[in-house]
Amino acid sequence: MFPSRHFTGIETLTTEELLSVLKLAAEYRAVLEQEDKNLDDLRTSTVANLFFENSTRTRFSFELAERRLGATVINFNNESSSTAKGETVLDTIKNLEVMKIDIVVIRHTLSGICNLLSRSVSASIINAGEGTHEHPTQALLDVLSLQQHFHDLNGLSVGIIGDILHSRVARSLIFALNLLGAHVHLIGPKTLLPDSFTRFGAKIHYQLDPILPELDATVSLRIQMERMESGYLPSLIEFHKAYGIDERRISRMKSHAVIMHPGPVNRGVELSHYAVDCGKSIILDQVTNGVAVRMAVLKMIHEFRKSAR
Ligand code: CP
């Protein structure tokens, strides 16, 4: 069980807590393979999905997870809600709370907003990706996918490639991989990979090719186009040449190595078309696991709330 009624990040979890949520997620993943995928574990819970940023995978997998568990679900539309008239997120959640919402799933551009809200509301807050801070359920689905492929992550070498500096996915994944004993290699241009990331216990590489044959898994991060305008990257073509996974690079990877990406993929930038669709790619498995891990997080929070009543 989580030690809190909120789930705002991986950084504060212990290895035991991480393993327990992954175990439950693996059980739910097996349920998702059954003909009848619907349960009633959250029948008494009402969940609101508040997405202030675009999302396909996280948004739909949370809603599917909530519905698979039998929760009552409401979805918030940023453009047509009163936040467009200037209402704060905190006031929005306080109004939802008095309508008896139990759990709020939130994606927002502001780093730290989930922790801030969790101190001010009695509904449970789940971080669905905030600013450049954390995207904890993404890290859960990433490590569940690695567990399914390799069983034990202890000693596994995982390369996280691209825009590490601005990536909430990278931060959460580094914390999760550290808890599970994997070796973390951060790979990218100096402008997007500051030396300070060594404090996370990761090795830093400014070139992909020398380290590539040693990696068991590559996790390429989405390049945000606006970074080029800010001078972080010379061009997408240059980035692809230096850090893109393509057929030539795949031929230098370990035979058992897997290719991962949180999505959405910029085809031809982080990964070539071949890399996205080849046998080493487990990108779509990651997406299926997204439903399972979100079911597990919702269930653990629901159980905590029940025990705290
Ligand atoms: N990986 C991820 O967060 O994708 P979405 O932005 O589509 O939710």
Side-chain angles (χ1 to χ4, degrees):
M1 195 194 292
F2 287 139
S4 152
R5 68 177 194 279
H6 307 288
F7 183 52
T8 58
I10 302 286
E11 190 172 12
T12 51
L13 291 187
T14 64
T15 303
E16 290 67 34
E17 287 159 358
L18 175 57
L19 287 172
S20 68
V21 71
L22 290 170
K23 183 169 177 288
L24 182 58
E27 288 166 22
Y28 281 133
R29 173 66 205 247
V31 172
L32 294 177
E33 300 304 325
Q34 293 171 190
E35 196 174 331
D36 182 1
K37 302 167 182 55
N38 297 323
L39 304 168
D40 65 357
D41 301 30
L42 254 73
R43 195 183 53 77
T44 57
S45 269
T46 303
V47 186
N49 298 309
L50 274 66
F51 279 67
F52 293 89
E53 260 188 12
N54 292 353
S55 168
T56 298
R57 281 145 289 269
T58 314
R59 151 101 177 67
F60 284 107
S61 60
F62 260 114
E63 184 171 344
L64 256 180
E66 292 149 12
R67 293 190 188 280
R68 295 272 183 237
L69 292 172
T72 301
V73 179
I74 60 164
N75 289 307
F76 164 91
N77 183 332
N78 191 23
E79 278 82 42
S80 62
S81 79
S82 287
T83 52
K85 299 184 212 161
E87 188 170 41
T88 66
V89 181
L90 181 57
D91 281 338
T92 302
I93 295 179
K94 287 195 163 180
N95 278 270
L96 293 176
E97 248 181 354
V98 294
M99 294 184 226
K100 309 298 179 197
I101 302 293
D102 302 293
I103 301 174
V104 178
V105 175
I106 183 160
R107 169 170 287 197
H108 204 281
T109 48
L110 285 179
S111 302
I113 193 165
C114 290
N115 281 323
L116 187 80
L117 293 170
S118 70
R119 289 194 286 273
S120 311
V121 298
S122 59
S124 292
I125 301 291
I126 299 179
N127 178 356
E130 56 160 28
T132 58
H133 176 223
E134 280 220 41
H135 190 352
T137 55
Q138 178 68 45
L140 292 179
L141 73 89
D142 291 340
V143 293
L144 180 63
S145 305
L146 286 168
Q147 271 189 336
Q148 285 172 340
H149 206 83
F150 295 103
H151 304 291
D152 189 359
L153 273 63
N154 193 32
L156 210 69
S157 286
V158 180
I160 306 177
I161 306 166
D163 183 357
I164 313 290
L165 177 63
H166 301 98
S167 175
R168 56 195 178 205
V169 172
R171 289 174 63 90
S172 290
L173 183 55
I174 293 166
F175 295 135
L177 292 171
N178 281 342
L179 286 172
L180 298 175
H183 301 302
V184 182
H185 298 270
L186 302 178
I187 304 151
K190 244 182 181 155
T191 47
L192 296 173
L193 180 47
D195 289 345
S196 56
F197 272 81
T198 51
R199 75 181 186 277
F200 294 115
K203 289 209 173 109
I204 287 187
H205 308 264
Y206 299 117
Q207 289 185 305
L208 172 59
D209 287 318
I211 187 66
L212 188 65
E214 293 175 36
L215 300 177
D216 299 297
T218 59
V219 182
S220 298
L221 302 171
R222 186 174 74 89
I223 287 295
Q224 295 170 44
M225 303 302 178
E226 60 272 22
R227 303 290 176 228
M228 277 198 310
E229 282 144 38
S230 330
Y232 286 103
L233 282 174
S235 77
L236 295 182
I237 293 171
E238 290 303 313
F239 180 84
H240 183 69
K241 269 192 210 157
Y243 302 104
I245 303 288
D246 58 8
E247 196 167 355
R248 179 183 61 84
R249 287 203 165 106
I250 290 169
S251 70
R252 298 184 56 247
M253 289 169 74
K254 286 182 180 175
S255 59
H256 68 246
V258 293
I259 295 168
M260 301 169 68
H261 192 298
V265 177
N266 294 308
R267 283 177 180 251
V269 180
E270 306 98 35
L271 303 175
S272 69
H273 287 280
Y274 177 87
V276 177
D277 302 318
C278 75
K280 284 187 175 302
S281 166
I282 60 167
I283 294 170
L284 291 178
D285 251 341
Q286 290 175 262
V287 178
T288 308
N289 285 331
V291 181
V293 299
R294 285 158 185 142
M295 289 170 81
V297 168
L298 288 159
K299 169 73 170 172
M300 289 183 111
I301 283 182
H302 176 77
E303 290 303 316
F304 183 92
R305 291 177 67 84
K306 262 187 5 194
S307 69
R309 262 185 219 136

